[in-house]
Amino acid sequence: ASRPAGGIASQTRAFIAQLEQAVFFDNPRSPLSFSIVSHSSSGIDAALQAAVLQVSKSILDSSSRFIAGRLDTGAQLRERLRRAHAIIRVLSANGLVDRIDTNTRVRLSAAAEKLAAAVALWSHQNDLWARQHSSPATHLLSNAADAFLEARGLRSRDALRELLQHHTCSVGDLVVFLHGRVPALRRALDVSERGAHDSRLVEFEASRIAIVAMLAAFRYRFRHSDLYALASNCSEELWTASAEITDILSERLENIYALCRDLSSRHCAPIYERMQMAVLPGDTNHDGTDVSISDEVVCIDYSQSAPSELAAVLPADDDPYVSDMALLRDCLNIVGPLANLCFRSFVDRITSVETRSAPDAAALVRRYNTLRSRFLLGLVALGRVQMAFRLSEEYHDLTTLVVLVFAADVANAADCLRRYVDMFGSDFARALFAYYERRQAWASLLYTRDSAIDHLLKEFIDTSEHVSPHGPMAQIGWIHDIKLRDFGGAAAKLARAARDSDDTCQARTMLSLSKLSFVALEGLDSIAGGNEIKTSAYSRLEDALELCEVQDSLHRFMAELVESNQQGKQLAAKPTNKCNMEGGGSSSSSGSDNCDAYDAAMLTTSPELRHSRPALYATYCDFLRRLLASRVASTEEMLDALTFPDNIPNTKEHFVNERYCLAVDILSRSGSNLTKHAQRAALRSIWRRVFISDDWKAIHLRLSTPNTTDIALRSELIATSLYHTLRQCFVLRELPYPECYVMPADAFVTADDLEYFADNRFCLQLKNSVEGTTIDTIIGDYKLEDKDLSLAINNGLVGYYEEMLRIVAEGAKDAHRQREGNPDHGMSDDLENKSMEDEYENDVSMDSE
């Protein structure tokens, strides 16, 4: 039949007549054949939609003239369910399902689902009436139906029959209403021992009613979802996923679990002990926070008591209304189905709210994740291990699934893990790796005997390192890289781990391994002849290793200095602002380390320095304390340690005698560690301290006397610390000029330098380590260095510096010519310089003696 002519109302009436003929007279291939194309651009036929909804409603509330009245309520409900289902069958047989929108199809399915729930509820209530128990639980559903109708101004002698026949659309509301009545009813029954038993039966029966209704509805939907063409991401809210239904199902689940605990504490010690041992997600920690599935406390080994042993203590066929043990058995049996229904309701609701971009979607997801992991692990505590595994697999809760493997099947854990990796692939592998990471089971994480998941572990480590560059994966991931022969990745991870390390020995070891990995990747010849990036990376590794070696040497020198000085412990002088020897640094630093650091600071500084620059001296003391405790120092701290002391005793240690030049060399290779501004500030500090290390007032007085010879001038300048430093920088280390050098007039601390020191350099150190020292006192000390430098400049430092630069430059040229194969050129000058330097060394030795 083509579409009837006329308006929407007349077309709807015609469609209703045709649909009723097909639905009620079992003729799915009815003469319905809508050949007229709908004028709607979406293809939806409004008249057809109105017709199917009206027919569905007439079946749902028994108002259709084709529904015969029957005394057998169950038969009548089943007949109406068949007719409600016939509507979608007729539409499908005639190819008209796509002519009604999604909302209409959801409403058609909901009507049939509620009829299925009504059929199941009536059957369940009939079974209870047939047993003729006297418990109030037997009449829980019928009494709730009576109160439900009365609350809506309706009265009936047989309320449940009336509601299911003529108000079937309110089945979901009835379940919610019944749930709200349970607490008050239980409180009224708990006044006596017999009443307490009935109270537990009421709790049990309320959960069973929810299961019966929801299970029937879900079964119908799943069996016929293809017929209704319901999309998995449907934005329409399903009645089984309303906020009220998800709430009562989650509360039913909590209540039935609590009932299991109550019954097992009275009648079944094995189950009660397992429940007491279990700490589930959602429980409260001692600190008041909620337990998470990520917490180690939820991982408990339940494998000592098998589920079969628990089942042996429960009766097989007793009536739960008579026997408490039978009631416990049935309670244990319904936890799994109830959890399944609750999870499904949450999943459908989350899909709906996320599709609509509702603001509460994130909170709902968090609640669901906690609830799901809580009761999946709770099923293990109840001895329902296989149900826990099945639900974890069905709802793709891989995080909980990993925990279940180790909590319930430890003996077969390896086989289970391999099977789940095959089943779920990389998703399960990542959940497994995250489990190991949370529990810091590094050996288990890295010891992968299955080569098939090695690349998955590699991806996990790299992703974790990207998210947390200084986390544990960055510390141990190189081991797996070496296993996979990814030496480049191993070298990068080791270098980063070395930078993050706070222990000198560990940092040096990491850097050495990084260097070996780099060599294994490229080969020394390849590095030497490789591109600039490879060469630069290798140079940075060597620079970092040299910095560790310098710190080790400085540590050894200070320790030997303190040990060899028998009177070091009797030194009485103290810094004006002494460093806080008890705070900051490593908690493992002992009192002897603090005393040794204090003695080392006293032995390497003069009283004038300690009292004139107390704040910088305090930070120097703090650095020595951490140095002697083998804590890693920053580049700037190392530069201060090399240049701040002014009373270093004579030693055979090469690095100590060349400490100023070494500081400049270290700074020249610190481009990856310091900003450009920090490098310039540090360079000014180094040369400023070199300039003020000599007594220029006395030198200027000697050189200002009349008739001073060139030899005397040269000899006086060569004997200075400044000349010694310049010669080492130019000749020995060949540091580039002028990049690594500063003129005396440019060595003053700048306002930008002071701002950098306040905001970056000393901010954290003052907060954690140095007590009684402020940034203002440190700035005052730097300004005092400026004052000393200004005095040196007034005593001719600039001219002397330029003369020393000329002398050193000539010596550097002569050394270069010698290396180029012309040893005769400049030989006399070298000999002359050598004799002067020998004389200077002898003078220094005599002075020190």
Side-chain angles (χ1 to χ4, degrees):
S2 61
R3 169 180 289 214
I8 293 294
S10 62
Q11 294 172 16
T12 300
R13 287 193 296 272
F15 286 151
I16 290 174
Q18 292 171 331
L19 282 170
E20 287 179 336
Q21 180 186 9
V23 167
F24 288 100
F25 297 100
D26 293 328
N27 185 15
R29 300 297 299 178
S30 69
L32 289 169
S33 178
F34 304 104
S35 58
I36 299 178
V37 178
S38 172
H39 295 292
S40 173
S41 59
S42 62
I44 303 302
D45 194 314
L48 178 61
Q49 285 193 154
V52 295
L53 289 176
Q54 187 164 336
V55 172
S56 174
K57 181 179 181 299
S58 66
I59 295 173
L60 191 60
D61 60 13
S62 298
S63 62
S64 174
R65 67 182 185 277
F66 297 106
I67 296 178
R70 293 189 181 184
L71 295 178
D72 188 341
T73 303
Q76 193 237 28
L77 288 171
R78 289 189 293 273
E79 176 66 18
R80 288 162 58 200
L81 175 59
R82 284 196 298 271
R83 300 311 176 191
H85 180 66
I87 296 175
I88 195 66
R89 282 196 302 108
V90 169
L91 295 176
S92 178
N94 289 274
L96 300 173
V97 175
D98 60 345
R99 303 295 297 278
I100 59 176
D101 59 23
T102 303
N103 181 48
T104 301
R105 295 198 298 271
V106 169
R107 292 172 66 182
L108 289 178
S109 179
E113 292 164 17
K114 290 179 179 180
L115 281 167
V119 171
L121 285 174
W122 182 256
S123 176
H124 175 73
Q125 186 61 57
N126 269 262
D127 290 341
L128 287 179
W129 284 334
R131 297 183 183 183
Q132 297 182 347
H133 291 299
S134 60
S135 171
T138 304
H139 306 283
L140 181 64
L141 179 60
S142 57
N143 291 341
D146 185 53
F148 180 82
L149 291 180
E150 186 175 353
R152 283 154 180 77
L154 302 174
R155 302 188 65 87
S156 175
R157 296 182 60 186
D158 194 344
L160 182 59
R161 192 187 304 271
E162 172 68 18
L163 189 148
L164 296 180
Q165 284 185 341
H166 301 289
H167 305 280
T168 317
C169 61
S170 299
V171 165
D173 297 332
L174 174 63
V175 174
V176 174
F177 182 83
L178 182 148
H179 172 77
R181 286 169 51 86
V182 170
L185 181 57
R186 291 201 64 185
R187 286 192 297 270
L189 291 172
D190 282 335
V191 295
S192 65
E193 182 176 350
R194 175 59 187 173
H197 174 74
D198 289 336
S199 173
R200 289 188 286 271
L201 287 174
V202 166
E203 190 68 61
F204 166 70
E205 191 58 42
S207 296
R208 280 214 300 180
I209 290 170
I211 292 173
V212 166
M214 294 298 108
L215 185 58
F218 278 118
R219 279 178 176 170
Y220 179 86
R221 184 187 304 155
F222 293 150
R223 286 175 182 173
H224 307 293
S225 59
D226 292 339
L227 197 59
Y228 285 94
L230 298 177
S232 58
N233 60 344
C234 177
S235 62
E236 300 296 332
E237 182 177 281
L238 305 175
W239 73 277
T240 54
S242 65
E244 295 79 6
I245 293 295
T246 54
D247 287 344
I248 70 159
L249 289 177
S250 60
E251 291 180 27
R252 287 285 98 225
L253 197 51
E254 288 281 3
N255 292 347
I256 203 66
Y257 188 83
L259 182 58
C260 290
R261 185 191 298 272
D262 180 28
L263 289 169
S264 61
S265 68
R266 301 168 184 269
H267 306 289
C268 188
I271 294 178
Y272 181 70
E273 291 173 359
R274 288 165 62 93
M275 297 183 73
Q276 287 295 99
M277 185 171 57
V279 180
L280 304 178
D283 287 347
T284 303
N285 282 313
H286 296 296
D287 58 1
T289 60
D290 289 340
V291 176
S292 167
I293 185 63
S294 302
D295 295 338
E296 187 173 359
V297 71
V298 303
C299 184
I300 303 174
D301 183 7
Y302 295 117
S303 58
Q304 299 301 320
S305 53
S308 59
E309 298 175 0
L310 299 177
V313 301
L314 299 174
D317 54 2
D318 288 355
D319 190 338
Y321 277 76
V322 176
S323 166
D324 280 343
M325 289 292 285
L327 178 60
L328 173 60
R329 176 203 64 208
D330 285 3
C331 286
L332 294 174
N333 289 337
I334 68 172
V335 173
L338 184 57
N340 186 16
L341 295 171
C342 182
F343 298 163
R344 175 51 54 189
S345 180
F346 266 97
V347 168
D348 291 342
R349 179 158 184 77
I350 290 171
T351 300
S352 175
V353 298
E354 286 183 339
T355 305
R356 291 183 281 110
S357 300
D360 60 340
L364 185 64
V365 170
R366 288 193 299 270
R367 178 186 170 196
Y368 166 61
N369 288 337
T370 300
L371 181 83
R372 185 185 60 200
S373 58
R374 172 178 178 80
F375 286 103
L376 288 175
L377 292 178
L379 285 169
V380 180
L382 299 176
R384 300 304 187 261
V385 176
Q386 295 306 315
M387 174 64 77
F389 275 100
R390 186 178 67 79
L391 291 178
S392 297
E393 296 168 10
E394 180 178 347
Y395 291 97
H396 210 76
D397 188 354
L398 304 184
T399 301
T400 303
L401 191 57
V402 173
V403 177
L404 286 174
V405 170
F406 292 105
D409 200 8
V410 178
N412 302 313
D415 294 335
C416 280
L417 295 176
R418 192 172 295 107
R419 178 167 60 88
Y420 283 130
V421 169
D422 294 337
M423 182 184 301
F424 295 107
S426 59
D427 290 343
F428 182 81
R430 283 192 290 269
L432 175 62
F433 300 149
Y435 173 87
Y436 288 138
E437 182 183 19
R438 289 194 304 269
R439 285 156 178 78
Q440 299 183 2
W442 310 124
S444 299
L445 174 67
L446 297 174
Y447 183 56
T448 55
R449 290 176 291 178
D450 191 348
S451 59
I453 65 173
D454 277 342
H455 70 284
L456 298 176
L457 178 56
K458 167 72 173 171
E459 292 176 2
F460 176 81
I461 291 175
D462 291 345
T463 302
S464 298
E465 184 181 8
H466 177 73
V467 173
S468 179
H470 307 288
M473 288 294 104
Q475 303 290 327
I476 66 170
W478 61 272
I479 299 175
H480 191 66
D481 285 340
I482 290 178
K483 176 184 177 181
L484 299 182
R485 303 187 67 81
D486 180 11
F487 297 113
K493 288 183 176 67
L494 283 162
R496 189 178 297 110
R499 289 197 299 270
D500 293 341
S501 176
D502 193 39
D503 182 79
T504 309
C505 296
Q506 184 185 50
R508 186 176 62 251
T509 301
M510 292 291 189
L511 287 170
S512 300
L513 290 172
S514 179
K515 185 176 179 180
L516 287 174
S517 299
F518 202 97
V519 172
L521 172 67
E522 300 291 345
L524 287 175
D525 295 337
S526 176
I527 295 171
N531 58 37
E532 184 178 348
I533 296 178
K534 294 179 181 178
T535 305
S536 176
Y538 190 74
S539 298
R540 288 196 301 271
L541 277 176
E542 291 190 317
D543 293 343
L545 271 171
E546 183 174 349
L547 188 62
C548 284
E549 293 297 334
V550 170
Q551 183 167 343
D552 279 345
S553 299
L554 190 59
H555 175 277
R556 184 174 61 253
F557 170 74
M558 292 294 180
E560 292 175 354
L561 181 64
V562 172
E563 184 179 355
S564 62
N565 185 44
Q566 299 299 324
Q567 297 180 349
K569 300 299 181 181
Q570 281 74 39
L571 294 175
K574 296 182 179 180
T576 304
N577 291 335
K578 75 171 185 176
C579 63
N580 179 14
M581 295 298 180
E582 302 299 329
S586 172
S587 60
S588 63
S589 297
S590 63
S592 62
D593 290 334
N594 296 330
C595 293
D596 290 347
Y598 180 66
D599 290 344
M602 296 287 292
L603 292 169
T604 55
T605 56
S606 64
E608 294 78 13
L609 181 67
R610 293 195 294 271
H611 292 291
S612 64
R613 275 168 272 177
L616 288 176
Y617 176 64
T619 61
Y620 177 61
C621 289
D622 182 71
F623 166 77
L624 290 180
R625 177 178 58 79
R626 290 182 289 113
L627 174 73
L628 293 175
S630 297
R631 314 321 295 174
V632 173
S634 68
T635 301
E636 291 174 298
E637 289 175 328
M638 285 297 302
L639 298 180
D640 272 351
L642 290 171
T643 60
F644 177 76
D646 67 338
N647 190 32
I648 299 291
N650 287 331
T651 177
K652 296 180 180 180
E653 291 286 352
H654 180 70
F655 84 97
V656 174
N657 295 327
E658 298 182 359
R659 56 197 178 95
Y660 290 118
C661 177
L662 179 60
V664 178
D665 192 12
I666 291 174
L667 182 61
S668 69
R669 293 181 284 175
S670 63
S672 60
N673 299 327
L674 298 176
T675 64
K676 290 295 182 182
H677 178 76
Q679 291 182 63
R680 293 302 301 173
L683 187 62
R684 280 189 285 270
S685 293
I686 294 172
W687 283 107
R688 184 170 58 252
R689 289 169 180 174
V690 174
F691 293 147
I692 65 177
S693 63
D694 294 304
D695 188 356
W696 293 105
K697 183 177 180 180
I699 293 173
H700 185 61
L701 183 63
R702 290 193 295 270
L703 295 180
S704 297
T705 58
N707 303 321
T708 301
T709 65
D710 291 343
I711 294 177
L713 172 66
R714 188 183 185 95
S715 177
E716 188 73 37
L717 296 180
I718 288 176
T720 61
S721 175
L722 174 57
Y723 173 82
H724 185 64
T725 303
L726 285 172
R727 184 176 182 279
Q728 289 170 340
C729 291
F730 266 101
V731 180
L732 300 182
R733 296 185 180 264
E734 298 182 343
L735 299 179
Y737 182 86
E739 291 85 355
C740 294
Y741 302 85
V742 175
M743 295 294 290
D746 298 329
F748 291 99
V749 63
T750 66
D752 290 340
D753 294 346
L754 296 178
E755 183 179 356
Y756 168 75
F757 293 150
D759 295 339
N760 300 279
R761 172 70 204 286
F762 294 103
C763 180
L764 185 62
Q765 186 177 6
L766 293 178
K767 180 180 179 181
N768 294 338
S769 302
V770 182
E771 183 179 300
T773 301
T774 65
I775 192 62
D776 291 334
T777 59
I778 290 178
I779 289 175
D781 287 357
Y782 275 108
K783 290 182 177 179
L784 187 61
E785 289 184 350
D786 276 1
K787 182 179 179 181
D788 293 343
L789 176 59
S790 180
L791 181 62
I793 291 175
N794 292 335
N795 283 282
L797 172 60
V798 174
Y800 298 139
Y801 177 77
E802 292 175 350
E803 180 64 20
M804 281 185 279
L805 275 181
R806 185 188 62 79
I807 296 173
V808 170
E810 290 178 353
K813 291 178 181 178
D814 292 341
H816 179 70
R817 292 191 187 99
Q818 283 184 321
R819 286 194 299 271
E820 292 296 326
N822 188 10
D824 294 334
H825 187 83
M827 183 69 72
S828 59
D829 288 343
D830 284 343
L831 291 176
E832 181 182 359
N833 294 344
K834 183 68 170 62
S835 64
M836 292 181 180
E837 292 176 21
D838 290 343
E839 182 180 354
Y840 161 67
E841 296 290 345
N842 293 333
D843 291 342
V844 170
S845 300
M846 293 175 63
D847 291 342
S848 63
E849 292 176 1

